[in-house]
Amino acid sequence: MLATYKKPPLELDDWFEKLSSYLSAADINDVKRAYQLAATAHAPQTRASGEPYINHSITVAQMLSDLKLDGEVIVAGLLHDVPEDTDISLKEIEQEFGPVVSKLVDGVTKLKQAADFKDDSFSKSRKEAAQTENLRKMFLAIGDDVRVVLIKLADRLHNIRTLGSLPTYKRKRIASETMEIFVPLANRLGIYSIKSELEDHSFKHLYPDTYRDIARKRDQHRHRLETFATRIADELEAALDEAHIEAKLTWRTKHLYSIYIKMKRKEVDIDQIHDVTALRVIVKSVRECYAALGVVHTKWRPIPREFDDYIAAPKDNGYQSLHTAVIDREGHQFEIQIRTEEMHHQAELGIAAHWRYKEAGQAGNLALNQKIAAMRQAIMLQADGNTAREFVDAIKSDVIEEKVYIFTPKGEILELPLGSTPIDFAYYVHTEVGNKCRGAKINGALVSLDYQLKNGDKVEIITAKKGGPSRDWLNDNLGFIKTSRARKKIKHWFKRQNYQESVTQGRSILDREIN
């Protein structure tokens, strides 16, 4: 018996009308045909909650359209589970929608995670091995077509929104994997809208009591914060009008996981987090960003060491904005973010904005194009000579995690993964510098070799004339190294020593036999 079809998350006619704001008639027709195919193929199927399976496909496609991705990606989003879960083959999809859609669907199909296994007879080691191999495929997909990963992120986001029907151990496993892999990946691709929601849902399943406590405290302050926000916005709007700066002002409430991390890092309660809400000021040009900053700092007193210029020095994922924290006459502290409309779209859409600009006939963001190319190159470099586990570990540490920017003694800037140490830095400079590293100075002061480098640190490595690395450096519990590059170089050094030792012993045995 066929499942009774229920109304999808958004009325389809309304969604198709919404798509017409940026897609061609031909693209929308393809989306409609893809929906009909997916609805027919998935008609007998339901999810664990009892909801018709097609609702998942529609929601994933709608998320992709919210990112303003092209028609082929939205079609692939609708069809992403069809070849795997129904009788319709990938070849039939290619015949109907072309090779690009087929390739995207095939790419997503190959990214099925170990957490999706329905057969609990699989051993833990087998599941972990399958998960590692599928993560390897996902990272390689970035090197092929990053749009595959955007579809997978949307798929994961809807899955983690709807974990309620699964057992607790499965919810925690999926949430843990999401926090470890998909959150930093979304962050690296600059898609804040997906990254923050993935974090909050994972947080809710991993630490439910803490999640509820912070949510309760935030809600208790909501009315007071909204009243305060309205007053501040009115005051700033008047000051900007007086300075002849046209701006759009909106308030952003910090996500629960971000509040939790800040509370934990500063060891304070939510009352002492001054950027639970932040006022966003969106202006027309970069010049007006700095002019608006001058207005803000004239009206309210800036808080020392709470200003960041991400316009002059963008984040590694392309994010640009001015961030400042100020204090009013009553002693209230709050954050203000200033950016252009284009920067705002980049902040929300990240790498997805790349296709938005391409579809509009623009050249796109050159810096973003370069970062995509750099990510692909880094991934492909790790693809050779590593096991699946080594490959995934290398990508997690060297590619998707946040970066710090370090100065060499000559003033050159190097980019290293967040959490890197002087030993990682030494191996980045040169293999022999790493092998002979015995100490380090940061900004002229001696530090231990497990010191975690910070943005702007000037690093000087102290080397010995002889000797090599310590085996302790390979002990994960001691925190001496972060990068796969350093780990690989250290292992190679010991492997070479063992080889030379074996050769020497062999010659000694041979000499004794001959004599």
Side-chain angles (χ1 to χ4, degrees), residues 142-155:
I142 299 176
D144 187 21
D145 190 335
V146 75
R147 292 178 298 175
V148 171
V149 182
L150 297 179
I151 299 170
K152 186 61 192 177
L153 284 172
D155 174 64

Side-chain angles (χ1 to χ4, degrees), residues 100-116:
V100 174
V101 170
S102 173
K103 187 177 180 181
L104 291 172
V105 172
D106 185 40
V108 178
T109 300
K110 289 176 179 175
L111 304 185
K112 187 174 179 66
Q113 299 299 304
D116 294 333

Side-chain angles (χ1 to χ4, degrees), residues 47-82:
R47 307 188 81 212
S49 63
E51 175 187 26
Y53 197 92
I54 185 61
N55 284 6
H56 169 69
S57 304
I58 294 170
T59 303
V60 168
Q62 289 171 352
M63 289 179 187
L64 297 169
S65 69
D66 288 342
L67 294 174
K68 297 293 188 294
L69 291 169
D70 55 74
E72 289 171 327
V73 175
I74 296 169
V75 168
L78 283 166
L79 302 174
H80 74 276
D81 281 329
V82 166

Side-chain angles (χ1 to χ4, degrees), residues 111-126:
L111 304 185
K112 187 174 179 66
Q113 299 299 304
D116 294 333
F117 280 126
K118 297 178 177 64
D119 185 351
D120 286 332
S121 66
F122 281 111
S123 67
K124 182 179 179 182
S125 61
R126 188 175 173 188

Side-chain angles (χ1 to χ4, degrees), residues 227-241 249-251 278-281 291-304 306-307 324-338:
T227 302
F228 172 73
T230 301
R231 176 176 67 81
I232 292 298
D234 289 344
E235 289 183 17
L236 182 55
E237 188 172 26
L240 291 170
D241 284 344
L249 277 62
T250 61
W251 280 92
L279 180 60
R280 284 181 178 154
V281 180
L293 178 68
V295 171
V296 169
H297 284 177
T298 299
K299 185 164 185 60
W300 297 295
R301 178 163 59 88
I303 299 173
E306 292 289 343
F307 170 68
T324 186
V326 295
I327 185 167
D328 69 4
R329 289 184 298 275
E330 286 77 34
H332 300 123
Q333 299 180 8
F334 53 97
E335 184 180 70
I336 295 179
Q337 301 171 356
I338 307 169

Side-chain angles (χ1 to χ4, degrees), residues 113-374:
Q113 299 299 304
D116 294 333
F117 280 126
K118 297 178 177 64
D119 185 351
D120 286 332
S121 66
F122 281 111
S123 67
K124 182 179 179 182
S125 61
R126 188 175 173 188
K127 285 183 179 181
E128 288 177 349
Q131 179 189 45
T132 300
E133 178 59 23
N134 285 313
L135 289 173
R136 187 186 71 85
K137 291 176 182 176
M138 183 180 70
F139 292 129
L140 286 173
I142 299 176
D144 187 21
D145 190 335
V146 75
R147 292 178 298 175
V148 171
V149 182
L150 297 179
I151 299 170
K152 186 61 192 177
L153 284 172
D155 174 64
R156 174 52 60 108
L157 178 54
H158 186 244
N159 283 337
I160 205 165
R161 282 178 180 174
T162 54
L163 287 183
S165 303
L166 298 180
T168 300
Y169 79 94
K170 284 190 176 181
R171 295 203 305 268
K172 286 185 177 294
R173 185 177 66 196
I174 294 171
S176 178
E177 179 190 70
T178 301
M179 196 69 89
E180 181 183 3
I181 300 294
F182 290 93
V183 165
L185 183 58
N187 181 64
R188 186 74 165 130
L189 298 177
I191 312 173
Y192 178 80
S193 57
I194 288 181
K195 177 235 178 195
S196 55
E197 192 175 348
L198 286 173
E199 279 182 330
D200 274 5
H201 283 294
S202 300
F203 179 36
K204 178 173 65 176
H205 292 292
L206 290 172
Y207 308 103
D209 293 339
T210 307
Y211 176 90
R212 284 192 294 268
D213 183 54
I214 294 176
R216 178 181 56 80
K217 289 179 178 179
R218 187 188 65 178
D219 291 343
Q220 285 175 348
H221 294 287
R222 189 179 298 278
H223 178 69
R224 177 182 61 81
L225 290 172
E226 287 177 353
T227 302
F228 172 73
T230 301
R231 176 176 67 81
I232 292 298
D234 289 344
E235 289 183 17
L236 182 55
E237 188 172 26
L240 291 170
D241 284 344
E242 189 175 337
H244 305 293
I245 300 173
E246 185 179 340
K248 180 169 68 176
L249 277 62
T250 61
W251 280 92
R252 179 273 295 160
T253 301
K254 205 173 188 69
H255 287 267
L256 292 175
Y257 184 71
S258 296
I259 295 172
Y260 165 70
I261 289 298
K262 199 150 195 177
M263 289 170 59
K264 189 176 177 182
R265 189 177 78 242
K266 294 197 170 188
E267 298 182 341
V268 297
D269 201 357
I270 191 171
D271 295 334
Q272 295 168 274
I273 304 296
H274 65 257
D275 61 345
V276 169
T277 58
L279 180 60
R280 284 181 178 154
V281 180
I282 301 174
V283 296
K284 291 183 176 180
S285 67
V286 172
R287 184 186 63 80
E288 288 184 334
C289 287
Y290 290 99
L293 178 68
V295 171
V296 169
H297 284 177
T298 299
K299 185 164 185 60
W300 297 295
R301 178 163 59 88
I303 299 173
R305 296 181 297 279
E306 292 289 343
F307 170 68
D308 292 295
D309 187 345
Y310 295 119
I311 293 179
K315 288 188 177 182
D316 194 51
N317 59 19
Y319 176 88
Q320 289 185 290
S321 188
L322 298 176
H323 289 197
T324 186
V326 295
I327 185 167
D328 69 4
R329 289 184 298 275
E330 286 77 34
H332 300 123
Q333 299 180 8
F334 53 97
E335 184 180 70
I336 295 179
Q337 301 171 356
I338 307 169
R339 60 183 68 157
T340 65
E341 190 73 41
E342 184 178 333
M343 292 174 192
H344 183 63
H345 288 311
Q346 173 67 43
E348 294 300 306
L349 304 180
I351 206 168
H354 172 75
W355 282 277
R356 177 176 181 166
Y357 294 131
K358 281 178 67 175
E359 289 296 307
Q362 301 176 29
N365 185 313
L366 178 60
L368 188 58
N369 291 340
Q370 292 171 338
K371 289 185 183 299
I372 296 171

